[in-house]
Amino acid sequence: RRYLGLQKISKNVKNLHFYKNLREFSSKEIIVDHHAGVAVITLNREKKLNTLTLSMCQEMKSKLTDLFKDAKLNCIIIKGSGNKAFCAGGDVKCIAMEKGPFVPGKPGTLRSDFFREEYELNYMLANAKAMRNSTNKPEKVYQVSIWNGVVMGGGAGISMHGAFRIATENSLFAMPETAIGIFPDVGASYVLSRLPSGIGHYLGMVGTRIKASDLIFSGLATHFIPSKNLMALEKALIEDKGEDVAGTLSKYCCAVPFEKGELEENRQAIERCFNHKKSVECIITALENENSEWSSKTLKIMANHSPTSLKLTHKQLILGRDLPLRGCFEMEFRMMQRAMMAHDFTEGIRSVLIDKDRSPKWDPPKLSQVKEIDHYFDPLSPYELQLFA
Protein backbone atom coordinates (compact mmCIF):
# COMPACT_ATOMS: atom_id res chain seq x y z
CA ARG A 1 0.00 0.00 0.00
CA ARG A 2 2.80 2.35 0.93
CA TYR A 3 4.51 1.60 -2.39
CA LEU A 4 1.30 2.18 -4.34
CA GLY A 5 0.77 5.40 -2.42
CA LEU A 6 4.26 6.63 -3.33
CA GLN A 7 3.61 5.68 -6.95
CA LYS A 8 0.44 7.75 -6.93
CA ILE A 9 2.22 10.73 -5.38
CA SER A 10 5.05 10.42 -7.91
CA LYS A 11 2.54 10.30 -10.78
CA ASN A 12 0.75 13.39 -9.47
CA VAL A 13 4.04 15.27 -9.18
CA LYS A 14 4.89 14.37 -12.76
CA ASN A 15 1.46 15.53 -13.88
CA LEU A 16 1.96 18.75 -11.96
CA HIS A 17 5.23 19.38 -13.78
CA PHE A 18 3.58 18.49 -17.09
CA TYR A 19 0.74 20.94 -16.62
CA LYS A 20 3.11 23.61 -15.36
CA ASN A 21 5.20 23.24 -18.53
CA LEU A 22 2.04 23.27 -20.65
CA ARG A 23 0.90 26.52 -19.07
CA GLU A 24 4.32 28.08 -19.60
CA PHE A 25 4.28 26.98 -23.23
CA SER A 26 0.74 28.24 -23.78
CA SER A 27 1.48 31.60 -22.18
CA LYS A 28 3.99 32.43 -24.91
CA GLU A 29 2.85 35.10 -27.33
CA ILE A 30 4.33 33.27 -30.31
CA ILE A 31 4.10 29.47 -30.64
CA VAL A 32 6.06 27.71 -33.39
CA ASP A 33 5.52 24.06 -34.34
CA HIS A 34 8.22 22.97 -36.79
CA HIS A 35 7.43 19.91 -38.88
CA ALA A 36 9.20 18.40 -41.86
CA GLY A 37 8.74 20.96 -44.63
CA VAL A 38 6.12 22.99 -42.76
CA ALA A 39 6.18 25.43 -39.84
CA VAL A 40 3.03 26.54 -38.02
CA ILE A 41 3.19 29.92 -36.26
CA THR A 42 0.39 30.74 -33.83
CA LEU A 43 -0.23 34.22 -32.46
CA ASN A 44 -1.17 33.54 -28.87
CA ARG A 45 -2.86 36.58 -27.33
CA GLU A 46 -6.42 35.37 -27.64
CA LYS A 47 -7.83 37.69 -24.96
CA LYS A 48 -6.29 40.67 -26.79
CA LEU A 49 -7.49 39.43 -30.21
CA ASN A 50 -3.89 38.41 -30.95
CA THR A 51 -2.76 42.03 -31.33
CA LEU A 52 0.95 42.44 -32.02
CA THR A 53 3.39 43.81 -29.48
CA LEU A 54 6.99 44.89 -30.00
CA SER A 55 8.25 41.69 -28.36
CA MET A 56 6.04 39.56 -30.64
CA CYS A 57 7.45 41.23 -33.76
CA GLN A 58 10.99 40.70 -32.49
CA GLU A 59 10.33 37.09 -31.57
CA MET A 60 8.71 36.31 -34.92
CA LYS A 61 11.70 37.78 -36.75
CA SER A 62 14.03 35.63 -34.69
CA LYS A 63 11.95 32.48 -35.23
CA LEU A 64 11.73 33.12 -38.97
CA THR A 65 15.49 33.61 -39.22
CA ASP A 66 15.93 30.15 -37.71
CA LEU A 67 13.19 28.60 -39.86
CA PHE A 68 14.67 29.93 -43.09
CA LYS A 69 17.86 28.01 -42.35
CA ASP A 70 15.89 24.79 -42.85
CA ALA A 71 16.74 23.72 -46.39
CA LYS A 72 13.57 21.59 -46.58
CA LEU A 73 11.12 24.28 -45.46
CA ASN A 74 8.38 24.75 -48.07
CA CYS A 75 5.49 26.34 -46.23
CA ILE A 76 4.71 28.57 -43.27
CA ILE A 77 1.19 28.57 -41.81
CA ILE A 78 0.25 31.59 -39.70
CA LYS A 79 -2.89 31.56 -37.58
CA GLY A 80 -4.33 33.17 -34.46
CA SER A 81 -5.34 31.40 -31.28
CA GLY A 82 -9.07 31.12 -30.67
CA ASN A 83 -11.90 31.70 -33.11
CA LYS A 84 -12.38 35.46 -32.76
CA ALA A 85 -9.30 36.88 -34.46
CA PHE A 86 -6.38 36.14 -36.71
CA CYS A 87 -4.79 39.40 -35.55
CA ALA A 88 -6.63 42.64 -34.80
CA GLY A 89 -3.58 44.82 -35.48
CA GLY A 90 -0.77 46.33 -33.48
CA ASP A 91 -1.12 47.20 -29.81
CA VAL A 92 -1.38 50.90 -30.66
CA LYS A 93 -2.90 51.89 -27.33
CA CYS A 94 0.41 51.23 -25.58
CA ILE A 95 2.23 53.21 -28.24
CA ALA A 96 -0.07 56.23 -27.90
CA MET A 97 0.30 56.23 -24.11
CA GLU A 98 4.11 56.32 -24.21
CA LYS A 99 5.56 59.43 -22.58
CA GLY A 100 8.91 61.15 -22.93
CA PRO A 101 11.01 62.79 -25.65
CA PHE A 102 10.71 61.50 -29.20
CA VAL A 103 12.86 62.00 -32.28
CA PRO A 104 11.27 60.56 -35.45
CA GLY A 105 12.95 57.30 -36.40
CA LYS A 106 15.52 57.39 -33.60
CA PRO A 107 15.74 54.00 -31.84
CA GLY A 108 14.89 53.76 -28.16
CA THR A 109 11.19 54.58 -28.03
CA LEU A 110 8.17 52.38 -28.61
CA ARG A 111 6.89 54.88 -31.19
CA SER A 112 9.97 54.25 -33.30
CA ASP A 113 10.99 50.70 -32.43
CA PHE A 114 7.57 49.08 -32.82
CA PHE A 115 7.00 50.29 -36.37
CA ARG A 116 10.58 49.59 -37.44
CA GLU A 117 10.40 46.02 -36.14
CA GLU A 118 6.89 45.51 -37.53
CA TYR A 119 7.79 46.66 -41.04
CA GLU A 120 10.97 44.59 -41.02
CA LEU A 121 8.86 41.56 -40.06
CA ASN A 122 6.32 42.30 -42.80
CA TYR A 123 9.04 42.62 -45.42
CA MET A 124 10.76 39.49 -44.16
CA LEU A 125 7.55 37.49 -44.61
CA ALA A 126 6.92 39.02 -48.03
CA ASN A 127 10.34 37.74 -49.14
CA ALA A 128 10.24 34.39 -47.34
CA LYS A 129 12.96 32.15 -48.73
CA ALA A 130 14.93 29.14 -47.53
CA MET A 131 18.44 28.19 -48.64
CA ARG A 132 18.27 24.93 -50.59
CA ASN A 133 21.12 22.48 -50.18
CA SER A 134 20.53 21.06 -53.66
CA THR A 135 21.00 24.37 -55.48
CA ASN A 136 22.74 26.41 -52.79
CA LYS A 137 20.25 29.14 -53.64
CA PRO A 138 17.37 30.62 -51.68
CA GLU A 139 13.95 29.49 -52.92
CA LYS A 140 10.46 30.74 -52.12
CA VAL A 141 8.66 29.56 -48.99
CA TYR A 142 4.88 29.70 -49.39
CA GLN A 143 2.93 31.47 -46.66
CA VAL A 144 -0.60 30.35 -45.80
CA SER A 145 -2.47 32.77 -43.52
CA ILE A 146 -5.68 31.59 -41.88
CA TRP A 147 -8.02 34.58 -41.64
CA ASN A 148 -10.48 32.94 -39.26
CA GLY A 149 -11.83 36.01 -37.45
CA VAL A 150 -10.77 39.64 -37.25
CA VAL A 151 -7.95 40.81 -39.54
CA MET A 152 -7.02 44.46 -39.10
CA GLY A 153 -3.97 46.70 -39.54
CA GLY A 154 -0.91 44.82 -38.39
CA GLY A 155 -2.72 41.52 -38.90
CA ALA A 156 -2.98 42.37 -42.57
CA GLY A 157 0.71 43.28 -42.58
CA ILE A 158 1.88 39.82 -41.54
CA SER A 159 -0.38 38.09 -44.06
CA MET A 160 -1.45 40.06 -47.13
CA HIS A 161 2.02 39.95 -48.73
CA GLY A 162 2.09 36.15 -48.58
CA ALA A 163 1.06 33.74 -51.32
CA PHE A 164 -2.20 32.44 -49.82
CA ARG A 165 -4.82 34.11 -47.61
CA ILE A 166 -7.67 31.89 -46.42
CA ALA A 167 -11.06 33.46 -45.68
CA THR A 168 -13.68 31.66 -43.62
CA GLU A 169 -17.25 32.45 -42.63
CA ASN A 170 -15.75 34.22 -39.58
CA SER A 171 -13.44 36.56 -41.49
CA LEU A 172 -13.74 40.30 -40.87
CA PHE A 173 -11.13 42.48 -42.57
CA ALA A 174 -10.53 46.22 -42.24
CA MET A 175 -7.86 48.90 -42.43
CA PRO A 176 -9.40 51.34 -39.90
CA GLU A 177 -6.43 53.65 -39.36
CA THR A 178 -8.01 56.92 -40.55
CA ALA A 179 -10.41 56.63 -37.60
CA ILE A 180 -7.49 56.81 -35.16
CA GLY A 181 -5.54 59.61 -36.78
CA ILE A 182 -3.02 57.68 -38.86
CA PHE A 183 -3.21 55.86 -42.23
CA PRO A 184 -3.15 52.31 -43.63
CA ASP A 185 0.44 51.11 -43.23
CA VAL A 186 2.21 47.70 -43.09
CA GLY A 187 2.63 47.81 -46.87
CA ALA A 188 -0.99 48.82 -47.57
CA SER A 189 0.23 51.55 -49.91
CA TYR A 190 1.46 48.73 -52.15
CA VAL A 191 -1.50 46.33 -51.82
CA LEU A 192 -4.44 48.73 -51.73
CA SER A 193 -3.12 50.88 -54.57
CA ARG A 194 -3.13 47.83 -56.83
CA LEU A 195 -6.74 46.82 -56.18
CA PRO A 196 -8.98 47.65 -59.15
CA SER A 197 -11.69 50.26 -59.60
CA GLY A 198 -10.97 52.49 -56.63
CA ILE A 199 -11.53 49.69 -54.11
CA GLY A 200 -8.17 50.32 -52.43
CA HIS A 201 -8.87 54.02 -51.88
CA TYR A 202 -12.33 53.14 -50.57
CA LEU A 203 -11.06 50.55 -48.08
CA GLY A 204 -8.11 52.69 -47.01
CA MET A 205 -9.95 55.97 -46.52
CA VAL A 206 -13.29 54.71 -45.20
CA GLY A 207 -12.03 51.71 -43.22
CA THR A 208 -15.03 49.62 -44.26
CA ARG A 209 -15.23 46.17 -42.69
CA ILE A 210 -15.59 43.41 -45.26
CA LYS A 211 -16.30 39.71 -44.97
CA ALA A 212 -15.54 36.57 -46.94
CA SER A 213 -17.57 37.42 -50.07
CA ASP A 214 -15.78 40.74 -50.56
CA LEU A 215 -12.40 39.35 -49.59
CA ILE A 216 -12.67 36.88 -52.45
CA PHE A 217 -14.22 39.44 -54.81
CA SER A 218 -11.44 41.96 -54.21
CA GLY A 219 -8.64 39.39 -54.36
CA LEU A 220 -7.46 40.16 -50.83
CA ALA A 221 -8.21 36.53 -49.94
CA THR A 222 -7.18 33.76 -52.31
CA HIS A 223 -9.42 30.94 -51.03
CA PHE A 224 -12.59 30.38 -49.03
CA ILE A 225 -12.49 27.38 -46.70
CA PRO A 226 -15.13 26.72 -43.99
CA SER A 227 -13.67 26.94 -40.50
CA LYS A 228 -14.75 23.36 -39.75
CA ASN A 229 -12.19 22.18 -42.31
CA LEU A 230 -9.21 24.18 -41.06
CA MET A 231 -7.75 21.46 -38.83
CA ALA A 232 -7.97 18.95 -41.67
CA LEU A 233 -6.32 21.48 -44.01
CA GLU A 234 -3.44 22.06 -41.62
CA LYS A 235 -2.97 18.32 -41.15
CA ALA A 236 -2.96 17.78 -44.93
CA LEU A 237 -0.36 20.52 -45.50
CA ILE A 238 1.86 18.98 -42.82
CA GLU A 239 1.47 15.45 -44.17
CA ASP A 240 2.32 16.69 -47.68
CA LYS A 241 5.38 18.48 -46.21
CA GLY A 242 4.25 21.62 -48.03
CA GLU A 243 5.35 20.19 -51.37
CA ASP A 244 2.09 21.05 -53.16
CA VAL A 245 0.50 23.89 -51.20
CA ALA A 246 -1.73 25.12 -54.02
CA GLY A 247 -2.96 21.61 -54.76
CA THR A 248 -3.75 20.91 -51.11
CA LEU A 249 -5.66 24.18 -50.75
CA SER A 250 -7.70 23.42 -53.87
CA LYS A 251 -8.96 20.20 -52.27
CA TYR A 252 -10.46 22.10 -49.34
CA CYS A 253 -11.63 25.37 -50.86
CA CYS A 254 -15.14 26.00 -52.14
CA ALA A 255 -17.34 28.81 -53.41
CA VAL A 256 -18.37 31.41 -50.83
CA PRO A 257 -21.86 30.35 -49.66
CA PHE A 258 -23.03 33.91 -49.03
CA GLU A 259 -24.66 36.72 -50.97
CA LYS A 260 -22.67 39.53 -52.56
CA GLY A 261 -20.88 41.81 -50.12
CA GLU A 262 -20.81 45.60 -49.96
CA LEU A 263 -17.87 45.96 -52.34
CA GLU A 264 -19.45 43.89 -55.07
CA GLU A 265 -22.90 45.40 -54.60
CA ASN A 266 -21.52 48.95 -54.86
CA ARG A 267 -18.58 48.35 -57.18
CA GLN A 268 -19.75 50.78 -59.86
CA ALA A 269 -20.46 53.56 -57.35
CA ILE A 270 -17.10 52.95 -55.66
CA GLU A 271 -15.38 53.29 -59.02
CA ARG A 272 -17.24 56.51 -59.83
CA CYS A 273 -16.42 58.07 -56.46
CA PHE A 274 -12.94 56.77 -55.58
CA ASN A 275 -11.12 55.73 -58.75
CA HIS A 276 -8.39 58.11 -60.01
CA LYS A 277 -9.67 61.13 -58.07
CA LYS A 278 -7.18 63.99 -57.78
CA SER A 279 -8.03 64.90 -54.19
CA VAL A 280 -10.09 63.98 -51.15
CA GLU A 281 -12.33 66.93 -51.96
CA CYS A 282 -13.05 65.42 -55.39
CA ILE A 283 -14.05 62.17 -53.70
CA ILE A 284 -16.38 64.04 -51.31
CA THR A 285 -18.00 65.86 -54.24
CA ALA A 286 -18.48 62.61 -56.14
CA LEU A 287 -20.11 61.00 -53.10
CA GLU A 288 -22.45 63.97 -52.69
CA ASN A 289 -23.43 63.74 -56.36
CA GLU A 290 -24.02 60.00 -56.03
CA ASN A 291 -26.90 60.76 -53.66
CA SER A 292 -27.61 57.20 -52.50
CA GLU A 293 -27.97 55.39 -49.22
CA TRP A 294 -24.47 53.96 -49.64
CA SER A 295 -22.88 57.34 -50.45
CA SER A 296 -24.65 59.07 -47.54
CA LYS A 297 -23.38 56.39 -45.17
CA THR A 298 -19.87 56.70 -46.59
CA LEU A 299 -19.87 60.50 -46.22
CA LYS A 300 -21.00 60.19 -42.60
CA ILE A 301 -18.19 57.77 -41.80
CA MET A 302 -15.54 59.90 -43.48
CA ALA A 303 -16.78 63.02 -41.70
CA ASN A 304 -15.77 61.41 -38.40
CA HIS A 305 -12.27 60.51 -39.59
CA SER A 306 -9.15 62.62 -39.27
CA PRO A 307 -9.01 65.11 -42.19
CA THR A 308 -5.23 64.91 -42.13
CA SER A 309 -5.37 61.09 -42.24
CA LEU A 310 -7.69 61.20 -45.24
CA LYS A 311 -5.27 63.49 -47.09
CA LEU A 312 -2.29 61.32 -46.17
CA THR A 313 -4.03 58.12 -47.24
CA HIS A 314 -5.07 59.57 -50.58
CA LYS A 315 -1.53 60.72 -51.35
CA GLN A 316 0.22 57.56 -50.15
CA LEU A 317 -1.98 55.36 -52.36
CA ILE A 318 -1.25 57.50 -55.40
CA LEU A 319 2.49 57.34 -54.71
CA GLY A 320 2.32 53.64 -53.82
CA ARG A 321 1.15 52.68 -57.31
CA ASP A 322 4.61 53.41 -58.69
CA LEU A 323 6.73 52.12 -55.81
CA PRO A 324 8.05 48.61 -55.15
CA LEU A 325 7.05 47.02 -51.86
CA ARG A 326 10.32 48.04 -50.24
CA GLY A 327 9.78 51.67 -51.29
CA CYS A 328 6.26 51.59 -49.86
CA PHE A 329 7.53 50.46 -46.46
CA GLU A 330 10.21 53.15 -46.47
CA MET A 331 7.61 55.79 -47.31
CA GLU A 332 5.20 54.54 -44.65
CA PHE A 333 7.90 54.57 -41.97
CA ARG A 334 8.63 58.23 -42.71
CA MET A 335 4.93 59.02 -42.60
CA MET A 336 4.28 57.09 -39.39
CA GLN A 337 7.16 58.69 -37.54
CA ARG A 338 5.78 62.14 -38.37
CA ALA A 339 2.29 60.97 -37.38
CA MET A 340 3.65 59.97 -33.96
CA MET A 341 4.43 63.65 -33.34
CA ALA A 342 0.99 64.87 -34.40
CA HIS A 343 -2.10 65.51 -32.28
CA ASP A 344 -4.48 63.27 -34.21
CA PHE A 345 -2.93 59.91 -33.31
CA THR A 346 -3.22 60.31 -29.55
CA GLU A 347 -6.65 61.90 -29.95
CA GLY A 348 -7.83 59.07 -32.18
CA ILE A 349 -6.67 56.42 -29.73
CA ARG A 350 -8.34 58.33 -26.89
CA SER A 351 -11.68 58.50 -28.68
CA VAL A 352 -11.72 54.91 -29.96
CA LEU A 353 -9.75 52.82 -27.44
CA ILE A 354 -9.51 54.75 -24.16
CA ASP A 355 -12.58 56.91 -23.51
CA LYS A 356 -14.47 55.20 -26.36
CA ASP A 357 -16.71 58.22 -26.89
CA ARG A 358 -16.16 58.15 -30.67
CA SER A 359 -16.08 61.95 -30.63
CA PRO A 360 -12.54 62.89 -31.70
CA LYS A 361 -11.40 66.51 -31.73
CA TRP A 362 -9.15 66.54 -34.78
CA ASP A 363 -6.54 69.25 -35.39
CA PRO A 364 -7.24 70.68 -37.87
CA PRO A 365 -10.94 69.70 -37.76
CA LYS A 366 -11.78 70.33 -41.43
CA LEU A 367 -10.34 69.18 -44.75
CA SER A 368 -10.12 72.77 -45.94
CA GLN A 369 -7.84 73.57 -43.00
CA VAL A 370 -5.27 70.85 -43.82
CA LYS A 371 -2.72 73.04 -45.55
CA GLU A 372 0.42 70.96 -45.90
CA ILE A 373 1.27 67.26 -45.57
CA ASP A 374 4.42 67.00 -47.73
CA HIS A 375 6.72 67.00 -44.70
CA TYR A 376 5.28 63.60 -43.67
CA PHE A 377 7.07 62.12 -46.70
CA ASP A 378 10.47 63.76 -46.15
CA PRO A 379 13.54 61.58 -45.47
CA LEU A 380 14.41 60.68 -41.86
CA SER A 381 18.18 60.75 -42.25
CA PRO A 382 20.02 59.35 -40.33
CA TYR A 383 17.12 57.21 -39.03
CA GLU A 384 15.65 55.78 -42.23
CA LEU A 385 14.13 52.31 -42.29
CA GLN A 386 16.74 49.88 -43.58
CA LEU A 387 15.36 46.72 -45.20
CA PHE A 388 17.43 43.82 -46.50
CA ALA A 389 17.63 43.45 -50.28
Side-chain angles (χ1 to χ4, degrees):
R1 288 180 183 174
R2 184 179 179 186
Y3 174 74
L4 290 174
L6 288 172
Q7 267 193 325
K8 188 174 182 180
I9 292 171
S10 176
K11 184 178 180 180
N12 287 338
V13 169
K14 288 179 179 178
N15 286 340
L16 180 63
H17 285 303
F18 170 78
Y19 287 118
K20 180 183 177 185
N21 290 336
L22 185 63
R23 286 197 301 271
E24 289 173 351
F25 180 74
S26 298
S27 69
K28 292 181 179 179
E29 293 179 330
I30 301 292
I31 298 173
V32 178
D33 295 307
H34 194 175
H35 307 270
V38 177
V40 181
I41 299 176
T42 304
L43 310 180
N44 192 38
R45 293 186 81 207
E46 183 178 356
K47 292 182 180 179
K48 296 290 186 180
L49 299 182
N50 301 317
T51 51
L52 292 170
T53 63
L54 174 60
S55 62
M56 288 172 73
C57 293
Q58 292 170 331
E59 185 176 356
M60 279 189 73
K61 283 175 56 183
S62 176
K63 298 293 187 185
L64 287 168
T65 299
D66 291 337
L67 288 172
F68 293 156
K69 295 175 183 176
D70 178 3
K72 296 183 179 180
L73 183 68
N74 296 309
C75 172
I76 292 175
I77 301 170
I78 302 183
K79 62 181 183 177
S81 62
N83 296 315
K84 292 183 178 180
F86 169 76
C87 173
D91 196 348
V92 289
K93 182 177 177 180
C94 290
I95 298 170
M97 295 176 69
E98 184 183 41
K99 306 297 183 183
F102 173 69
V103 177
K106 184 177 181 180
T109 65
L110 192 57
R111 286 165 283 182
S112 174
D113 294 348
F114 174 80
F115 293 105
R116 187 183 299 276
E117 294 285 343
E118 183 184 30
Y119 296 176
E120 287 176 357
L121 170 62
N122 298 157
Y123 194 68
M124 190 177 192
L125 284 164
N127 292 277
K129 295 179 181 178
M131 185 66 72
R132 305 299 184 203
N133 289 336
S134 57
T135 62
N136 200 32
K137 294 180 180 179
E139 294 184 14
K140 185 176 180 64
V141 173
Y142 291 95
Q143 180 182 337
V144 178
S145 299
I146 310 296
W147 284 356
N148 188 35
V150 176
V151 186
M152 293 185 180
I158 59 170
S159 54
M160 64 183 175
H161 306 295
F164 303 106
R165 287 88 58 196
I166 311 304
T168 75
E169 71 279 7
N170 301 317
S171 299
L172 183 67
F173 179 100
M175 298 299 286
E177 288 81 5
T178 54
I180 56 171
I182 47 177
F183 54 88
D185 62 328
V186 294
S189 51
Y190 183 89
V191 174
L192 295 184
S193 67
R194 284 159 175 78
L195 295 182
S197 307
I199 288 174
H201 270 79
Y202 174 63
L203 292 176
M205 297 177 72
V206 183
T208 300
R209 298 182 177 195
I210 60 174
K211 298 182 179 181
S213 296
D214 278 333
L215 286 169
I216 295 296
F217 170 73
S218 64
L220 285 167
T222 57
H223 298 75
F224 175 83
I225 297 177
S227 61
K228 66 181 181 180
N229 295 335
L230 292 178
M231 289 184 65
L233 169 67
E234 183 177 323
K235 182 180 178 183
L237 288 167
I238 292 171
E239 288 179 348
D240 182 58
K241 299 181 181 179
E243 293 180 357
D244 183 13
V245 177
T248 302
L249 290 174
S250 68
K251 295 176 183 177
Y252 288 87
C253 75
C254 62
V256 181
F258 308 118
E259 296 180 355
K260 293 179 181 179
E262 183 175 340
L263 292 186
E264 191 170 2
E265 282 286 350
N266 298 285
R267 63 188 184 279
Q268 293 179 343
I270 290 171
E271 184 168 11
R272 285 193 296 268
C273 296
F274 286 87
N275 198 34
H276 299 304
K277 297 299 182 184
K278 292 182 179 180
S279 67
V280 180
E281 288 83 355
C282 288
I283 291 172
I284 298 296
T285 299
L287 286 166
E288 291 171 344
N289 293 337
E290 193 69 24
N291 193 27
S292 66
E293 182 180 348
W294 168 81
S295 64
S296 297
K297 175 186 171 184
T298 302
L299 283 167
K300 185 176 180 180
I301 293 171
M302 291 177 69
N304 202 44
H305 290 183
S306 161
T308 301
S309 293
L310 292 174
K311 293 265 190 178
L312 287 170
T313 302
H314 183 264
K315 181 170 182 175
Q316 78 168 114
L317 293 181
I318 290 175
L319 295 175
R321 291 176 193 155
D322 299 318
L323 290 174
L325 180 60
R326 180 175 181 172
C328 286
F329 277 118
E330 291 168 348
M331 174 181 70
E332 290 172 5
F333 186 70
R334 293 171 179 177
M335 295 171 65
M336 189 61 76
Q337 291 304 285
R338 272 44 184 265
M340 291 298 100
M341 299 180 68
H343 162 84
D344 281 6
F345 174 57
T346 52
E347 174 60 12
I349 295 299
R350 180 206 64 76
S351 71
V352 174
L353 298 178
I354 299 176
D355 296 339
K356 300 181 180 180
D357 57 23
R358 299 280 175 170
S359 298
K361 304 295 187 293
W362 304 121
D363 182 20
K366 297 180 180 179
L367 276 173
S368 59
Q369 296 172 325
V370 181
K371 300 302 182 183
E372 193 274 318
I373 59 170
D374 290 347
H375 69 282
Y376 280 81
F377 299 84
D378 289 342
L380 285 168
S381 182
Y383 302 121
E384 294 279 21
L385 177 68
Q386 300 292 329
L387 297 173
F388 61 88

